[in-house]
Amino acid sequence: MSKKDKPDILRVGVIGLGVGRGHVKGYQTQPQAKVVAVADVDEDRLIEIAETYGVPHRYTSGEQMLQTEELDVVSVATPNKFHKELTVAALEAGCHVLCEKPMAMNAQEAREMLAAAQRAGKRLMIDFSYRFNEQSQALKAQVDSGVLGDVYFARTIWHRRRGLPRFGGWFGQKALSGGGPLIDLGVHRLDLALWLMGYPKPVWVMGSTYNHIASAMAQEQGVDFDVEDLAVGMVKFENGATLELEASWAANVQEKEWMETRLFGTKGGLVQRNVEQTYKFEAELYLEQGGAHFDAKLHSTARPAHDAMHHFVDSIVNDTPHIATGEEGLLVMEILDAIYQSAEEGQPVRVG
Ligand SMILES: NC(=O)c1ccc[n+]([C@@H]2O[C@H](COP(=O)([O-])OP(=O)(O)OC[C@H]3O[C@@H](n4cnc5c(N)ncnc54)[C@H](O)[C@@H]3O)[C@@H](O)[C@H]2O)c1
């Protein structure tokens, strides 16, 4: 579509209104977009959100919304199981799609989604939301300017002492989620580290998964839970770098919520981590210059960071590339698949 043919205001639909509520709010900060339709199988939630945010058209089926409305952009924010089918349907209906993380249940589904985007000539972005804060973006600019030198090691983690999302619900059921904290939390920290590192090509993966704490809790409470409660993976890249990834919903650590991503380079290192066990972040650089060692803490940035919804609309309207692409989403899924496979087989797995 040429710039001239583009509608002035992009018409947006959002499917799935848990975290999808944040999508509706996010688009509302964008003067060039309007959320005209929402869909959720839960009618009470649908009406509550549509009323709160003044969304005129409401559907209890995402497919029905896509068949009825003429939309430019669709957010898919349902449980993971439905990401593929709704994303493909939205692309085939001629929409650009912002899909929640994880992109899909596995890499095969992610490939099918990318192929659908290519066939339709539409954009596919993944909501790797932890890139879209000031700390992450400031660090990305530093890495890209070369202050770290060559990055040869990264450690990226998200642990919770006890933080099982809606225990007994879809998150803990493999058939609906595709996996546990690795695919839920690890996916964010993996993407963040890979993005900072420039998405190097993975070649070998070694992984382990455990389910000691949550399985005992599930048995006690009589609920379904058939995914891991802790996962760890080591990724070796073609350029020689190594990455360690750790994620848990239940672990015997002090912190209620502990997120940390570190990069180690030949000239400097960095950390982005949460503060006081909250979802607020800080960022620091550790540099070696002229034989002296400096610590630099991020104080503030010149511009506020916008969220994924704002960025996606901006990119479409201005015909500029968006970040957090479907291709990157696929690479993440390939690594996650390999960690699960390695955990099952008890040996390293080759990727790519
Ligand atoms: N980017 C982030 O930081 C972030 C944060 C939380 C969740 N997520 C992701 O967002 C997705 C949803 O997670 P959540 O926490 O909102 O879950 P949730 O269970 O709170 O909400 C999901 C919503 O989708 C609705 N739904 C289920 N099946 C549907 C279908 N087929 N069609 C339409 N609606 C359907 C449910 O009724 C519910 O309202 C997951 O993929 C999750 O990984 C991302």
Side-chain angles (χ1 to χ4, degrees):
M1 187 188 280
S2 77
K3 253 186 178 164
K4 177 156 82 39
D5 299 330
K6 277 205 196 104
D8 292 341
I9 306 273
L10 300 182
R11 294 168 55 88
V12 181
V14 177
I15 309 175
L17 299 171
V19 77
R21 172 194 288 265
H23 286 237
V24 176
K25 278 168 72 177
Y27 288 117
Q28 287 193 334
T29 67
Q30 249 293 3
Q32 289 161 310
K34 184 168 168 51
V35 181
V36 295
V38 281
D40 197 297
V41 291
D42 177 339
E43 200 165 354
D44 291 341
R45 186 173 253 188
L46 176 69
I47 291 168
E48 190 256 308
I49 288 175
E51 290 295 317
T52 305
Y53 297 100
V55 183
H57 305 144
R58 299 126 196 226
Y59 297 86
T60 50
S61 148
E63 287 85 354
Q64 204 195 335
M65 181 186 92
L66 294 170
Q67 283 159 17
T68 314
E69 299 285 326
E70 274 196 24
L71 301 168
D72 303 299
V73 177
V74 167
S75 269
V76 174
T78 59
N80 308 344
K81 162 88 178 142
F82 310 108
H83 287 187
K84 185 195 91 173
E85 64 193 46
L86 288 166
T87 295
V88 170
L91 290 163
E92 287 177 351
C95 306
H96 301 292
V97 177
L98 172 60
C99 179
E100 262 307 335
K101 51 49 67 173
M103 179 168 174
M105 302 279 279
N106 52 51
Q108 183 48 38
E109 287 193 357
R111 275 182 213 110
E112 291 172 36
M113 291 158 76
L114 260 183
Q118 277 150 13
R119 272 197 314 272
K122 295 290 166 186
R123 293 173 185 252
L124 176 55
M125 175 172 165
I126 312 303
D127 185 20
F128 288 131
S129 48
Y130 287 77
R131 295 188 192 191
F132 294 89
N133 62 49
E134 292 175 1
Q135 294 75 21
S136 301
Q137 297 199 352
L139 289 176
K140 177 66 174 159
Q142 289 299 308
V143 179
D144 287 353
S145 75
V147 293
L148 300 194
D150 292 330
V151 175
Y152 54 89
F153 178 55
R155 180 168 182 256
T156 192
I157 65 170
W158 188 339
H159 286 294
R160 288 180 178 163
R161 188 165 191 161
R162 297 290 183 278
L164 295 127
R166 293 182 271 299
F167 197 44
W170 70 266
F171 278 95
Q173 295 171 35
K174 197 167 190 307
L176 294 172
S177 63
L182 180 66
I183 204 169
D184 180 44
L185 308 180
V187 70
H188 278 301
R189 303 314 294 180
L190 175 60
D191 169 70
L192 183 65
L194 291 173
W195 177 56
L196 291 170
M197 295 167 87
Y199 260 85
K201 187 177 168 351
V203 283
W204 283 101
V205 170
M206 174 83 186
S208 299
T209 58
Y210 302 92
N211 182 13
H212 295 300
I213 298 171
S215 64
M217 285 168 63
Q219 215 170 7
E220 215 175 278
Q221 296 178 31
V223 299
D224 292 333
F225 189 88
D226 65 355
V227 296
E228 80 280 1
D229 64 12
L230 182 144
V232 54
M234 180 184 270
V235 186
K236 181 94 181 168
F237 298 96
E238 195 175 61
N239 66 5
T242 302
L243 175 145
E244 276 179 12
L245 168 65
E246 300 167 25
S248 65
W249 282 334
N252 290 323
V253 290
Q254 185 196 23
E255 295 83 357
K256 187 166 88 108
E257 197 88 66
W258 175 23
M259 296 174 236
E260 190 172 285
T261 297
R262 287 180 180 271
L263 259 54
F264 298 69
T266 49
K267 293 189 199 157
L270 66 75
V271 63
Q272 191 253 35
R273 63 182 158 223
N274 68 324
V275 287
E276 292 163 7
Q277 303 176 41
T278 66
Y279 283 63
K280 290 196 192 110
F281 292 90
E282 64 182 7
E284 287 179 18
L285 292 173
Y286 310 110
L287 305 171
E288 183 184 340
Q289 282 170 11
H293 300 148
F294 294 89
D295 295 354
K297 192 177 171 87
L298 177 71
H299 180 260
S300 56
T301 56
R303 280 180 298 281
H306 290 302
D307 63 22
M309 288 56 80
H310 198 285
H311 170 73
F312 197 42
V313 170
D314 254 0
S315 311
I316 296 166
V317 169
N318 298 318
D319 250 338
T320 50
H322 60 269
I323 64 169
T325 60
E327 285 79 1
E328 291 169 342
L330 168 61
L331 202 126
V332 164
M333 292 314 305
E334 284 176 342
I335 293 174
L336 298 186
D337 277 8
I339 293 175
Y340 282 128
Q341 188 187 337
S342 167
E344 215 172 289
E345 295 174 355
Q347 59 183 5
V349 167
R350 198 160 182 112
V351 191

